[in-house]
Amino acid sequence: MVSMDIGVWVAAILTLCCYSILYKEGPLYRFGEATAIGFGLGYTIIRTLDSLRGMTVLRWQGGNFETVIPVLLGVLLYFRFVPGYRWMQRPTLAFVVGAGMGISIRGAMHAQFVLQIAGSIAKIPSNPIDAFTWVVTSVGTLTVLLYYVFAHLKTETLDPPRKLGRYMLMIGLGAAFAGGTLTWITDIIVRIQFLVLTWLGL
Amino acid sequence: MSSDSLLDRIAGIQDMGEKWVYLLIIIGVIVPTLVPLNMPVAISEPTRAVYNYINALEPGSIVIFAVDLHPVTMPECFGAMMAVMQHIFSLADVRIIATTRGTMGSDILMMGMNTVYGGLNVPGKEYGVDYIVMPYIPGGETYVAQLAQDPQSMYTQDYFYNFVEDLPLFQEFQNGADIDLIVEFCHGPQFYDYLRHFNAAYGTPIAISVVAYIYAEVMPYYATGQFIGYMVGLRGAGEYEKIVGKPGIALQGADALSGSYAWIIAVIIIGNIANLLKKTSGGGN
């Protein structure tokens, strides 16, 4: 039975508007696209303001003023729109970039370099299938590194492993593209399920 | 009909408009949706590893439920989110702190809770003691870093505007060492933040449900044990629904997934044959 929920009907109509691009671009698609972008942006603004309220107004009312300086730094960012005073945003940008980099690097060295390198050179598994996987992974890692890092070394000896590295890279990118296809197909499936099962009630 | 004419027709498929390809794929999705084939779903090892780890959690454990989803990529991980949520809530005295680093994460979580429990009516569980939902705070990685080091300084209220002083569960969360498991649902490389600030700093185990297009990035961290398991896309969500015995939207879409992929493989094969035929006859790309 067809759904009588107004929200379901709105969602179904907007879905069909967006899918009209499969036939050709027109006012329906542009309406659906603009609605999606507008609602998304508006929602993000409201949620961010709500979060800001919790970090500023509520704390200041309780006598906690530790967020005053970050708020002032944030206000300085808006001087990018004032000709002649754009330099005032630099301290904030420097703080954001510096703090962000410091915070990322601290954990990245251990989690994404040390542990991954250790995992790559771990002892060969006894299981034949795992051992084959270990060999392929190790050869692939070394040859791809050779292709990228040592690309400037012009020696014929390194050409065959570099070529193998390029093929390994293509296989990896192909697998990543296949994953992307799976994501897109899933989006279609869930939307079709919504239209067929939830909206039309078939 | 001569064989040359047949080969010409096959080669001509290349010139078929893409609209027909879209139509074929949509048919490949609609038919299994309307007529379920109930094809068997095999459980992969990484998904079973997540299930086994959650099952073995001791009473009193605290789990961070990091719902870092967006409506665009929600379809893939939503089923997994609901299945894992139901699994954890079925365990005795395992508690959930739901967080998000995306604007809509908490709302997506509430969509799931409204679907399964009609809101906060989780049987046998009390809000504030057994589970809490925290609101969005901007900051990305800096948010996660602070969540790991000093969550008490970040929040004043929860998602429902209750003050955190009134939430006993939140008072137990002083830093990452107090967390026994993170289950993250993400649509991009957000998992690196939890890897860097929870797993690297405190050794907190992480289970993850990701969209399929970053599946290849997750595998190396599972191989080294930094992730205790993972669920990939709609397929992984369907596997988890099957293990916990709570069939939902993911298992419903499994047949459609197989059907659409069969169409895509057929289209790829036919398209390549057509291209080859056209090349040999002097045209084509």
Side-chain angles (χ1 to χ4, degrees):
Chain A
M1 188 175 150
V2 179
S3 172
M4 302 308 288
D5 188 334
I6 184 85
V8 171
W9 273 86
V10 170
I13 289 169
L14 286 173
T15 300
L16 293 173
C17 284
C18 290
Y19 276 156
S20 67
I21 187 83
L22 297 175
Y23 181 63
K24 66 175 178 180
E25 187 175 353
L28 285 177
Y29 169 73
R30 283 195 288 269
F31 172 72
E33 183 187 41
T35 306
I37 293 171
F39 268 93
L41 195 60
Y43 194 93
T44 300
I45 290 172
I46 294 300
R47 276 288 176 219
T48 305
L49 287 174
D50 189 46
S51 172
L52 201 62
R53 183 191 66 90
M55 286 188 286
T56 55
V57 175
L58 285 179
R59 287 173 197 249
W60 297 346
Q61 284 174 345
N64 182 347
F65 296 101
E66 64 186 14
T67 54
V68 169
I69 293 176
V71 168
L72 289 174
L73 283 173
V75 169
L76 287 179
L77 275 177
Y78 285 97
F79 279 91
R80 69 174 300 165
F81 301 114
V82 181
Y85 291 93
R86 290 199 177 103
W87 58 268
M88 291 185 72
Q89 64 171 321
R90 285 187 200 148
T92 308
L93 285 176
F95 186 84
V96 167
V97 172
M101 280 185 66
I103 286 169
S104 306
I105 288 172
R106 187 190 73 128
M109 292 310 296
H110 182 67
Q112 291 175 257
F113 283 94
V114 172
L115 287 179
Q116 285 295 300
I117 293 169
S120 299
I121 60 174
K123 64 178 183 179
I124 303 173
S126 53
N127 181 309
I129 295 174
D130 290 341
F132 176 74
T133 305
W134 182 89
V135 169
V136 171
T137 306
S138 303
V139 167
T141 304
L142 289 170
T143 52
V144 171
L145 278 172
L146 202 62
Y147 177 73
Y148 267 121
V149 177
F150 300 105
H152 62 285
L153 293 176
K154 305 289 181 201
T155 57
E156 286 182 8
T157 319
L158 294 176
D159 282 347
R162 266 206 281 258
K163 201 169 185 179
L164 180 62
R166 204 172 71 184
Y167 290 142
M168 287 285 194
L169 203 56
M170 282 194 261
I171 292 169
L173 290 172
F177 183 77
T181 310
L182 184 58
T183 296
W184 304 324
I185 289 294
T186 303
D187 290 343
I188 296 171
I189 288 170
V190 175
R191 279 291 93 195
I192 298 284
Q193 279 181 324
F194 168 77
L195 291 172
V196 169
L197 300 176
T198 306
W199 181 44
L200 296 177
L202 295 177
Chain B
M1 181 188 299
S2 69
S3 62
D4 286 338
S5 174
L6 178 61
L7 290 174
D8 286 340
R9 282 172 183 262
I10 295 173
I13 286 175
Q14 249 201 321
D15 302 321
M16 181 174 73
E18 64 222 13
K19 297 181 177 58
W20 293 106
V21 177
Y22 297 148
L23 188 62
L24 284 174
I25 291 174
I26 288 174
I27 291 171
V29 170
I30 289 180
V31 169
T33 302
L34 291 175
V35 186
L37 303 171
N38 297 317
M39 284 191 269
V41 174
I43 312 297
S44 61
E45 182 210 327
T47 305
R48 189 168 290 282
V50 176
Y51 175 81
N52 290 340
Y53 196 95
I54 291 176
N55 239 12
L57 286 172
E58 292 177 1
S61 298
I62 300 178
V63 175
I64 281 188
F65 218 65
V67 185
D68 301 327
L69 295 177
H70 188 275
V72 172
T73 48
M74 186 184 95
E76 289 198 74
C77 302
F78 190 67
M81 185 194 78
M82 291 205 287
V84 174
M85 178 176 63
Q86 291 177 82
H87 183 202
I88 294 178
F89 277 141
S90 72
L91 301 172
D93 201 24
V94 175
R95 298 163 296 162
I96 290 178
I97 298 176
T99 64
T100 181
R101 51 166 281 172
T103 50
M104 304 183 190
S106 296
D107 302 299
I108 290 172
L109 173 68
M110 287 314 301
M111 271 177 64
M113 292 200 72
N114 289 337
T115 303
V116 178
Y117 300 112
L120 299 179
N121 308 314
V122 183
K125 303 289 180 183
E126 183 185 346
Y127 186 84
V129 176
D130 298 302
Y131 66 103
I132 51 177
V133 182
M134 305 311 291
Y136 162 68
I137 288 183
E141 183 164 3
T142 51
Y143 157 78
V144 176
Q146 188 67 4
L147 186 71
Q149 289 180 31
D150 186 14
Q152 298 292 324
S153 66
M154 291 171 66
Y155 294 101
T156 48
Q157 293 175 313
D158 70 352
Y159 179 79
F160 302 102
Y161 303 107
N162 303 307
F163 287 98
V164 293
E165 293 80 18
D166 302 328
L167 302 172
L169 177 55
F170 189 75
Q171 300 307 313
E172 290 186 47
F173 179 22
Q174 298 296 319
N175 58 46
D178 298 320
I179 303 301
D180 299 285
L181 175 68
I182 294 174
V183 186
E184 202 206 345
F185 306 89
C186 64
H187 64 271
Q190 295 93 349
F191 62 84
Y192 287 119
D193 302 344
Y194 293 91
L195 205 61
R196 291 193 271 253
H197 301 288
F198 276 91
N199 183 258
Y202 299 98
T204 311
I206 301 175
I208 186 168
S209 170
V210 291
V211 294
Y213 84 82
I214 58 165
Y215 153 63
E217 288 186 52
V218 169
M219 288 175 71
Y221 299 99
Y222 174 68
T224 54
Q226 289 164 277
F227 289 151
I228 55 102
Y230 60 85
M231 297 160 279
V232 179
L234 194 70
R235 167 61 191 252
E239 290 173 13
Y240 207 90
E241 285 180 354
K242 187 176 176 186
I243 298 180
V244 297
K246 304 276 186 190
I249 60 168
L251 267 182
Q252 221 174 19
D255 284 343
L257 201 62
S258 302
S260 58
Y261 256 50
W263 275 119
I264 288 174
I265 291 169
V267 164
I268 290 172
I269 292 172
I270 294 171
N272 278 281
I273 291 172
N275 189 37
L276 206 61
L277 286 171
K278 208 159 191 181
K279 261 188 187 174
T280 51
S281 65
N285 302 323

